[in-house]
Each structure stands twice: as structure tokens, then as C-alpha cells.
Amino acid sequence: MSSVIYSVEDDKDIAKIINKTLSKQGYDVVSFYDGTSFIKAFDENKPDMVLLDMMLPDLSGAHLLQYIRKDSANDHIPVVIISANSLVTDKVDGLDMGADDYIAKPFDLLELMSRVNALFRRFKKSSSFEYGKLVLNSESHICKYDGKTISLTIKEFDILALLLKNKGKVVSRDEILSSIWGNEELETRTIDMHIKSLRKKINDEGIIETIYGLGYKVG
């Protein structure tokens, strides 16, 4: 499953260059030319990264950055500011507001690819995932809910980790099968059985949501 990048850039020529460059790297890039359309999409499906121009026709990039960072559930989403404002004070302000990197225009395409790849590597190293009272640590392979340790099978743990990594996005049954079981030929109801077991063990029906006809999601 490709990592999804939301690119917010009102200059369509630059947006096209960003989209084409990162798409060639295997990323799924979605372009937005204004802040309003970005917020609508962001509320419906969370991306894996946001590339953010600071000067937009409707809402400012600063407003969008504050919108993203006001919810701690979005802390796992790296934000890269791409702006014509190249003063040191502009960069410092952007990073202080919650951006994870700052690229000044005009930028080199190789630098853009390198920065994006580096951020993904850094964020993917995180082994701990949290959602409400649920805490999952991939390094220690421990799952806790409301402070109490929950015993999960390896497959249950991996499914839950996959859903938490894609928090806010729907993960299809086929994607779960492919990611967790690889090339094994299994029926999709296998997923349903594991999800049912996870819900019972966590004892919180609201954490894993069924999106009928599509799959499952957390958040």
C-alpha cells in the first residue's frame, strides 16, 4: 500500500512538478490548490504526509498547520512546509508551529525527494502507537488498554498495528490479507474473525470501525 501525500500548492505548475516527482518514487500524491478543499479531504481521510505551501488563495498555510496540529491524533503525520519565504525567521516560525521540515522555493527536485524519504524513514521508526486508552508497542510486542496488558496473538497484534499505522484511513480486507499473510490463500472472513477477537479482548467496540463494503479503520 503506497504512502499517501497531500500536497497543498496553489501554483498548478509547481503542484504538477511535485506530484510527478513523488509519484515516480512510488508515493500516492493528491494535489490541492486551496486550503478549504484540503481540510475537507483531511477530515475524511488522513494522509501519511502533508506538503504545505504557506501562501494560499483562501486560508493561510499557518492556519492549516494549526488545524492539523490542534489534534494530537495527527502527531504521527509529518508536515513539510514548501514556501517562497526563505528567511531564517520564517523557517523558525514554521517549525515552531509544528512543521517537521521546511523547504524554500525554488527547490531542487532531488532535495525534495531526499527530504520526503528521510522524513518517512524517521517517522516509520516509531514503534509505539496510541489511540485513546489503547497503547501498542511493536518493539516490545505489548498491547495495553487503560493501563492493563492485553494478550494478543501475533496476527491480531499485526492487524491492530496495521490499522493504527493507517489511523483515520480505511484498510481493506485484501490489504490486510496481503500485508499480514502475504501470498497465503485465505478467505476474507479470516480477517473478520480476527477483528471480532480483537474487539472482544480490547473490550471496546468503538476502536475498530467496520466500513461496510470497504474494510476497517481506527479513528
Side-chain angles (χ1 to χ4, degrees):
M1 185 165 49
S2 301
S3 296
V4 178
I5 299 176
Y6 282 1
S7 171
V8 193
E9 170 61 65
D10 65 322
D11 186 318
K12 293 188 177 181
D13 289 332
I14 295 178
K16 186 176 181 180
I17 291 172
I18 292 174
N19 195 311
K20 186 176 181 179
T21 299
L22 296 179
S23 293
K24 285 184 177 180
Q25 291 289 299
Y27 297 114
D28 183 3
V29 185
V30 183
S31 300
F32 301 92
Y33 307 117
D34 59 79
T36 303
S37 60
F38 163 77
I39 287 178
K40 182 179 178 181
F42 187 86
D43 287 344
E44 292 176 354
N45 291 293
K46 298 295 187 291
D48 298 297
M49 179 181 288
V50 175
L51 305 182
L52 184 61
D53 184 18
M54 296 303 282
M55 292 181 286
L56 299 167
D58 52 355
L59 304 173
S60 69
H63 177 89
L64 297 186
L65 182 54
Q66 290 170 351
Y67 185 84
I68 295 169
R69 292 298 181 229
K70 72 178 181 180
D71 187 348
S72 60
N74 300 326
D75 287 350
H76 69 291
I77 302 174
V79 178
V80 180
I81 291 176
I82 300 180
S83 175
N85 298 327
S86 58
L87 295 177
V88 173
T89 52
D90 294 321
K91 296 179 181 180
V92 170
D93 288 344
L95 296 172
D96 284 346
M97 282 189 291
D100 299 284
D101 203 350
Y102 195 110
I103 300 176
K105 296 177 182 177
F107 54 85
D108 183 88
L109 295 181
L110 289 177
E111 180 185 9
L112 173 65
M113 289 188 293
S114 178
R115 296 278 194 97
V116 168
N117 291 335
L119 262 182
F120 270 126
R121 286 196 300 271
R122 174 152 63 90
F123 272 72
K124 285 180 180 178
K125 285 181 180 178
S126 174
S127 60
S128 182
F129 304 93
E130 297 184 20
Y131 182 76
K133 298 179 181 179
L134 181 67
V135 178
L136 196 73
N137 191 297
S138 297
E139 193 171 300
S140 61
H141 220 264
I142 291 176
C143 175
K144 291 187 177 183
Y145 183 80
D146 200 15
K148 298 179 181 179
T149 301
I150 299 173
S151 178
L152 301 178
T153 66
I154 293 176
K155 296 301 186 185
E156 288 171 350
F157 190 96
D158 290 345
I159 290 172
L160 188 55
L162 179 64
L163 293 173
L164 287 170
K165 285 178 184 177
N166 291 278
K167 187 163 53 178
K169 298 193 299 183
V170 178
V171 182
S172 71
R173 290 174 176 82
D174 287 339
E175 288 171 334
I176 296 174
L177 281 173
S178 175
S179 178
I180 307 301
W181 277 273
N183 294 325
E184 291 184 49
E185 292 186 6
L186 298 171
E187 295 183 8
T188 54
R189 65 179 180 179
T190 301
I191 304 299
D192 302 329
M193 292 169 60
H194 280 76
I195 295 293
K196 183 178 180 180
S197 177
L198 274 171
R199 285 172 171 160
K200 184 176 180 180
K201 290 182 177 181
I202 296 172
N203 195 27
D204 189 335
E205 292 287 333
I207 287 183
I208 303 176
E209 182 182 357
T210 300
I211 309 299
Y212 291 99
L214 296 176
Y216 298 98
K217 78 169 185 174
V218 169

